Amino acid sequence: MSAHSVSFVIPVLDESESLRTLHAAIAEVCQTEQIQRQIIFVDDGSRDDSWQVIEAIAEADPSVCAIKLRRNFGKAAALSAGFEVAKNEIVITMDADLQDDPKEIPRFLEQLELNKDVVSGWKRVRHDPWHKVLPSRVFNWLVSRMTGVHLHDHNCGFKAYRREIFDEVKLYGELHRFVPVLSAAKGWRVGEIEVEHHARRFGHSKYGVSRLIKGFLDLMTIYFLTGYSRRPLHLIGTAGMIFFSFGGLGIVSLSAWWVISRSSASIEDIHLHETAIFYYCIVAVLLGAQFLLAGLLAELIVSLSRDTQTPFSVAKRIGHQSKQA
């Protein structure tokens, strides 16, 4: 394995008890494997003495960088802050709670050498309670099916990336777990390795039921961004056409039946205002019209923003400098 330079981005939230152990383990692996390291701790609004511990570690180790956020902005924001100062060719993200084992780092680097741009960890054997494991597996299955990026563990924070990915993939909200999906949508190659998962030694989990709800909402965002961000009318307009078509067909059918009932003495007259389905059809037509209008407005917004957004990813350029000369 060739020598590597790696930036480690580690979000921290009330992890003071584990930071020294984690730093020592990373430093040992880097020394053994001759990896040039940059360790970036991002304190995401910790209320314990995590920042003081980080300051002490940074004072003793020049390879350590530290960022302290003013409050808890969330993991995606903490990672983005770390990515901005990451300077090495490879970026590895991992949690600070010692559940991710630094001994796996060489295996991530080996996979990157095998023509991969993103390598995601897979905690096949998890030391978490069932009420976290089961929803996570359902979520991972849904993400894989909806996005086409088939990973066993999208939620795993132990991942390796080529640095230039973050020049194109920007994080906001809670989209940090979907970086492989966003990268694949740009054409980067995504891989996966099975990693060892340790039981939590200190503190408690930061995630609850709200994480599951946010995760499914984020999945809807990712599905839209990766499939329809440049053609929103195809998604919104399709829903509008379905509502409009069914509603319109229903109104036409009921209107025809209203005419027939009054043209034939053998058929009892129907009164549309007494028929519930008539109102359902009107609502469907109105919803369809609103969806179509929303889709057209979304297309207008996309067309106006095309000058500032790049809808593609360039892997190589040939003769670029000569054209400018």
Side-chain angles (χ1 to χ4, degrees), residues 3 33 59 64 116 122 129 160 210 233 248 265 312 318:
E33 301 293 330
E59 185 176 352
V64 173
K116 299 296 182 184
W122 171 23
S210 61
L233 184 60
F312 53 84
I318 298 177

Side-chain angles (χ1 to χ4, degrees), residues 188-204:
W188 299 95
R189 294 155 297 194
V190 178
E192 183 180 50
I193 62 170
E194 185 177 336
V195 296
E196 185 176 0
H197 182 243
H198 296 288
R200 176 179 285 273
R201 293 168 54 184
F202 306 105
H204 60 278

Side-chain angles (χ1 to χ4, degrees), residues 97-102 125 127-128 196-201:
D97 55 12
L98 298 180
Q99 290 190 283
D100 297 332
D101 195 333
V125 179
H127 297 280
D128 289 321
E196 185 176 0
H197 182 243
H198 296 288
R200 176 179 285 273
R201 293 168 54 184

Side-chain angles (χ1 to χ4, degrees), residues 147-292:
T147 64
V149 180
H150 296 281
L151 299 176
H152 292 88
D153 194 356
H154 289 269
N155 284 320
C156 182
F158 205 177
K159 293 182 173 72
Y161 310 91
R162 298 195 186 279
R163 173 64 186 84
E164 55 265 33
I165 286 177
F166 298 105
D167 294 333
E168 301 176 0
V169 176
K170 304 301 181 183
L171 298 184
Y172 64 92
E174 296 288 331
L175 300 187
H176 56 274
R177 61 178 66 90
F178 297 109
V179 174
V181 175
L182 295 170
S183 301
K186 287 279 192 177
W188 299 95
R189 294 155 297 194
V190 178
E192 183 180 50
I193 62 170
E194 185 177 336
V195 296
E196 185 176 0
H197 182 243
H198 296 288
R200 176 179 285 273
R201 293 168 54 184
F202 306 105
H204 60 278
S205 175
K206 312 300 188 302
Y207 302 106
V209 177
S210 61
R211 180 196 185 190
L212 184 63
I213 298 173
K214 292 177 181 178
F216 282 109
L217 294 176
D218 289 336
L219 176 57
M220 295 174 61
T221 301
I222 288 297
Y223 181 72
F224 180 81
L225 290 178
T226 57
Y228 299 95
S229 63
R230 308 302 297 182
R231 47 191 180 95
L233 184 60
H234 287 195
L235 178 64
I236 303 173
T238 298
M241 288 298 296
I242 292 173
F243 278 113
F244 196 89
S245 298
F246 276 101
L249 182 62
I251 290 176
V252 170
S253 300
L254 289 171
S255 300
W257 187 247
W258 182 88
V259 173
I260 293 173
S261 69
R262 281 162 173 72
S263 302
S264 175
S266 61
I267 300 177
E268 183 180 354
D269 291 351
I270 67 167
H271 303 281
L272 295 182
H273 68 280
E274 298 178 351
T275 307
I277 193 173
F278 177 68
Y279 296 100
Y280 293 149
C281 291
I282 292 176
V283 171
V285 169
L286 294 176
L287 279 176
Q290 289 182 333
F291 272 113
L292 288 170

